[in-house]
Amino acid sequence: MSEYKHSYERKTMWVVLLTAVTMVVEIVFGLSTKSMALLADGIHMGSHVLAIGLSWLAYIIVRKVSKNEKFTGDSNKILSLSGYSSGLMLLIFAIVIMVEAIERLYNPVDIVYKEAIMVAIIGLVVNIASAFLLHHNHEHSDHNIRAAYLHVIADALTSVSAILGLAAAMIWDIPFIDTIAALISSFVIIKWSIGLLKDSGKVLLDIEHHHENHEPHHH
């Protein structure tokens, strides 16, 4: 277990806690202010709490497993499986947001803008803080930390689109801009989750030879 992985485990834990709190706030306000983009951001964050939580769990499992002599498998596979699972979740959540947003286009509602924007900004700040926490050395990275990092960046993007969408909708009084912002977010999420599924899937299926094995295994 390299010392990188150990620091990743600690950082991942903090990000899970930070994101979980923000997610609850965003979903509650998304519902109460009726902002689709904010709700999308909150749900999206929720998927990240699950995903980054998985990453954190994966690090703990790898640490336990690497102490266990009986385990002969490749512990990198555990990290890739975690990455794959979170990619799958992202994909599902993105599709849910799109369906919701399209329905919203047909049935517009009044949005409480100022509160929604405030909360979206808080969300963005948390995401930026998390991104700094999860920033990793590329040569020492694995699918797991990359997945967690991508989740946070994707989150920051949806926060930005929620803020811009809400601001524009408020200034010009066009509620559907909020919906468009939610749709754009979901397209971005879909694109990224598919990339993540491809990359981590390759490792799981042994399609590409492990290039991660340049450091000797420590028992």
Side-chain angles (χ1 to χ4, degrees):
M1 191 82 186
S2 62
E3 77 280 16
Y4 280 103
K5 299 259 158 81
H6 209 75
S7 73
Y8 288 165
E9 185 188 318
R10 221 177 24 256
K11 287 174 177 172
T12 320
M13 179 191 76
W14 277 111
V15 173
V16 172
L17 298 175
L18 258 174
T19 317
V21 173
T22 319
M23 162 202 88
V24 173
V25 172
E26 286 199 341
I27 290 176
V28 168
F29 278 91
L31 291 170
S32 72
T33 59
K34 299 200 176 59
S35 160
M36 185 71 219
L38 191 55
L39 188 61
D41 199 24
I43 290 175
H44 184 189
M45 267 199 159
S47 69
H48 293 190
V49 172
L50 289 170
I52 301 168
L54 263 177
S55 302
W56 175 35
L57 201 68
Y59 281 121
I60 295 172
I61 293 170
V62 168
R63 196 185 52 192
K64 298 257 191 291
V65 153
S66 52
K67 286 185 187 145
N68 184 348
E69 298 297 315
K70 290 196 203 77
F71 181 81
T72 52
D74 177 2
S75 59
N76 276 322
K77 285 264 175 85
I78 298 175
L79 299 180
S80 296
L81 183 60
S82 160
Y84 187 85
S85 316
S86 64
L88 205 55
M89 276 181 201
L90 261 183
L91 192 59
I92 294 163
F93 277 109
I95 292 165
V96 169
I97 292 170
M98 279 178 83
V99 173
E100 279 287 292
I102 291 162
E103 271 180 10
R104 180 64 68 88
L105 281 175
Y106 290 103
N107 307 307
V109 295
D110 292 327
I111 304 168
V112 186
Y113 292 112
K114 288 200 174 67
E115 279 185 20
I117 292 173
M118 268 308 299
V119 177
I121 290 172
I122 295 168
L124 180 61
V125 171
V126 170
N127 292 142
I128 292 170
S130 303
F132 276 112
L133 265 174
L134 288 175
H135 196 75
H136 50 286
N137 265 9
H138 219 64
E139 54 281 19
H140 293 284
S141 75
D142 52 55
H143 283 301
N144 196 36
I145 191 83
R146 229 189 83 214
Y149 187 61
L150 277 184
H151 277 293
V152 171
I153 300 280
D155 243 357
L157 268 183
T158 42
S159 294
V160 170
S161 76
I163 294 164
L164 294 178
L166 283 164
M170 179 171 72
I171 294 162
W172 294 303
D173 195 29
I174 315 174
F176 77 82
I177 295 180
D178 175 69
T179 315
I180 303 292
L183 277 172
I184 293 168
S185 302
S186 45
F187 279 123
V188 173
I189 306 167
I190 287 172
K191 191 174 161 302
W192 276 2
S193 55
I194 290 172
L196 189 57
L197 289 173
K198 277 189 191 146
D199 286 353
S200 50
K202 276 183 194 156
V203 177
L204 291 174
L205 299 172
D206 283 319
I207 290 171
E208 52 185 359
H209 289 294
H210 304 300
H211 42 254
E212 285 128 348
N213 284 357
H214 51 63
E215 50 166 326
H217 281 297
H218 304 299
H219 272 307

